[in-house]
Amino acid sequence: MENFSYSNPTRVEFGKEKEKNIGEYIKSYGVKKVLLSYGSQRIKRDTLFDTVIKSLELHGIEYVEFSGITSNPVLSKVKDGIELAKRENIDGILSVGGGSVLDCSKTISVGTLSENDVWDFFIGKSVIEKALPIFDIMTMAATGSEMNYYAVITNDETKQKFAIASPLIYPKVSVINPLLMESISKEYLVYSAADVIAHSIEGYFTASVHPEFINKQVEAIISTIIQTTEVLIENPKDYNARSEFAWAATNALNGTTFLGTTGYSLPNHMIEHSLSALFNVPHGAGLSVVIPAWMKWYYNKNMPQFEQFSNRIYGLYSSQEGIEALENWFNKIGTPTKLSQFSITKDDIDLIVENAFGNAQYFGLSEIYTKEVLKEILNNAL
């Protein structure tokens, strides 16, 4: 195990009815006026909005609504939020929704306290020095954004999907009530499962040093997601399964699965970001296409780890059997495994390759993931 430093300042409030206390949590940080950001009107139909407002008002916290944040959040929407937050003298942000809403909120928290173009933080022209305090109530489990310091945004003009990272954008308090996730569609449940598995396997397969304890932690997350996804497809109201799924999703990307490792990279996300940026593919759905295609190209570069995955997750022995089993499971639960399921054809490959190679340069992986390699991986997904 390599040396590491680890600190995660996010306070997690997990369980039933925790959202009723959000005003109390926010007030304890001295915040007096929040930008209440959310996506669709689902939070109003499910009465969550009324619960949140009641709690804010009870604790004397003003709020300004900022709605309409979509999956694969875009830069233009972020800039609208920054403009509103500055105009209203907001001193905190409350995100109510899934990872897309939270990533948008994190970026707004940075841009509100800066005079620079917020995209400059994504392309390395500016360094994050300040951010408004962020709070969230999660209505979907997938991205792990509720307990990490990342935010991913798509520049809708340049078609670049990039990320920022800073300890300043860890949420102060994250509320995770699995009951609030019951109304998620089966479609987005299975996309979320693929997203969590992607977060788990990136380091697992690519790290040059991967401690056995971390191996087993990653395998536990993947096994839990496989088991609970199948339960939730049959019974969306199974609270125990929903709870296990939600906590596994949080732990897949809160930093713990990378502790003591070295030399890892994020190639599946690097490639998928191009699908999202160019074709607005749901992130998890794009990952379930990319993962098997990438595994088929990469497995012989780390055969022992792939054989271990195959054996420990599926009770199989060869690398190819494990890859096939995961792809078959994606097909079984109904998340895409082929580009054609997005109406993406061979004629689109060159466009994706060009965009993905820009991501490879951004990720520092362009020497490994050349245009020729990217084309080979994408052809595996046709």
Side-chain angles (χ1 to χ4, degrees):
M1 180 175 281
E2 297 294 296
N3 293 353
F4 63 85
S5 298
Y6 180 70
S7 174
N8 194 315
T10 299
R11 170 183 167 189
V12 173
E13 292 288 345
F14 190 102
K16 299 175 182 178
E17 299 190 342
K18 290 283 190 171
E19 68 279 5
K20 292 183 177 180
N21 302 324
I22 190 63
E24 175 188 342
Y25 304 148
I26 293 173
K27 185 177 181 180
S28 69
Y29 286 85
V31 172
K32 297 179 180 178
K33 187 175 185 180
V34 296
L35 186 72
L36 174 52
S37 57
Y38 59 96
S40 71
Q41 297 300 304
R42 180 166 69 98
I43 68 165
K44 293 188 175 180
R45 292 195 302 270
D46 293 351
T47 72
L48 174 57
F49 183 85
D50 291 339
T51 299
V52 170
I53 296 310
K54 182 178 179 180
S55 183
L56 293 178
E57 291 177 343
L58 179 64
H59 291 88
I61 298 169
E62 297 181 69
Y63 67 92
V64 176
E65 289 185 52
F66 180 65
S67 64
I69 300 170
T70 60
S71 177
N72 295 323
V74 294
L75 182 62
S76 58
K77 188 66 175 178
V78 167
K79 290 184 174 180
D80 289 343
I82 292 170
E83 181 183 349
L84 178 60
K86 286 183 175 181
R87 186 170 65 245
E88 294 288 342
N89 295 314
I90 296 298
D91 63 349
I93 299 182
L94 172 58
S95 168
V96 182
S100 293
V101 176
L102 184 49
D103 280 8
C104 186
S105 299
K106 288 179 175 181
T107 311
I108 292 169
S109 79
V110 172
T112 301
L113 298 183
S114 174
E115 296 305 317
N116 297 336
D117 186 322
V118 72
W119 190 246
D120 286 349
F121 296 105
F122 287 84
I123 59 176
K125 285 187 176 180
S126 298
V127 176
I128 298 172
E129 297 178 345
K130 296 183 290 185
L132 292 175
I134 304 154
F135 308 85
D136 62 77
I137 299 172
M138 302 305 295
T139 62
M140 183 173 172
T143 69
S145 192
E146 65 274 12
M147 204 178 178
N148 68 42
Y149 61 27
Y150 307 110
V152 180
I153 296 293
T154 299
N155 186 320
D156 32 347
E157 291 186 1
T158 66
K159 302 302 179 184
Q160 295 169 301
K161 186 174 182 180
F162 288 171
I164 52 173
S166 169
L168 295 170
I169 60 173
Y170 273 112
K172 299 297 184 185
V173 180
S174 289
V175 173
I176 305 173
N177 177 357
L179 287 176
L180 301 179
M181 302 172 184
E182 280 187 357
S183 60
I184 289 292
S185 66
K186 181 208 168 187
E187 182 180 50
Y188 270 88
L189 169 67
V190 300
Y191 296 169
S192 298
D195 196 4
V196 178
I197 289 174
H199 294 154
S200 304
I201 66 169
E202 296 276 45
Y204 183 86
F205 286 131
T206 65
S208 56
V209 173
H210 211 284
E212 180 61 6
F213 174 78
I214 302 300
N215 279 332
K216 289 183 175 178
Q217 182 180 357
V218 169
E219 291 154 5
I221 290 169
I222 294 171
S223 297
T224 298
I225 291 299
I226 290 172
Q227 177 185 359
T228 57
T229 298
E230 294 185 2
V231 171
L232 290 169
I233 288 172
E234 294 299 318
N235 180 15
K237 292 189 178 296
D238 189 310
Y239 180 79
N240 287 331
R242 187 75 65 180
S243 300
E244 298 260 12
F245 186 104
W247 191 233
T250 298
N251 280 272
L253 202 60
N254 66 359
T256 56
T257 59
F258 297 98
L259 297 181
T261 71
T262 191
Y264 67 85
S265 57
L266 306 172
N268 292 280
H269 280 75
M270 177 192 78
I271 297 169
E272 194 291 319
H273 283 182
S274 292
L275 300 182
S276 295
L278 293 169
F279 300 97
N280 198 29
V281 169
H283 179 56
L287 284 167
S288 62
V289 171
V290 171
I291 290 169
W294 173 81
M295 292 173 83
K296 291 170 187 175
W297 175 80
Y298 187 84
Y299 76 91
N300 59 8
K301 296 170 179 56
N302 194 356
M303 189 82 75
Q305 197 75 349
F306 274 80
E307 290 175 347
Q308 176 177 284
F309 172 84
S310 180
N311 184 254
R312 292 184 179 178
I313 301 299
Y314 294 107
L316 303 171
Y317 295 96
S318 73
S319 299
Q320 294 95 326
E321 285 178 313
I323 295 168
E324 183 179 1
L326 180 59
E327 185 171 19
N328 287 342
W329 186 73
F330 284 154
N331 286 321
K332 175 185 174 182
I333 63 173
T335 189
T337 55
K338 298 298 179 185
L339 291 171
S340 59
Q341 291 170 271
F342 305 125
S343 299
I344 296 173
T345 69
K346 192 169 186 176
D347 293 339
D348 298 311
I349 295 295
D350 287 342
L351 174 64
I352 301 170
V353 166
E354 287 298 322
N355 190 284
F357 186 68
N359 290 346
Q361 292 174 310
Y362 179 75
F363 276 70
L365 296 174
S366 57
E367 290 187 9
I368 300 172
Y369 293 93
T370 63
K371 292 181 182 180
E372 292 73 22
V373 166
L374 291 167
K375 193 168 206 174
E376 182 179 347
I377 294 170
L378 289 163
N379 280 329
N380 287 341
L382 285 173

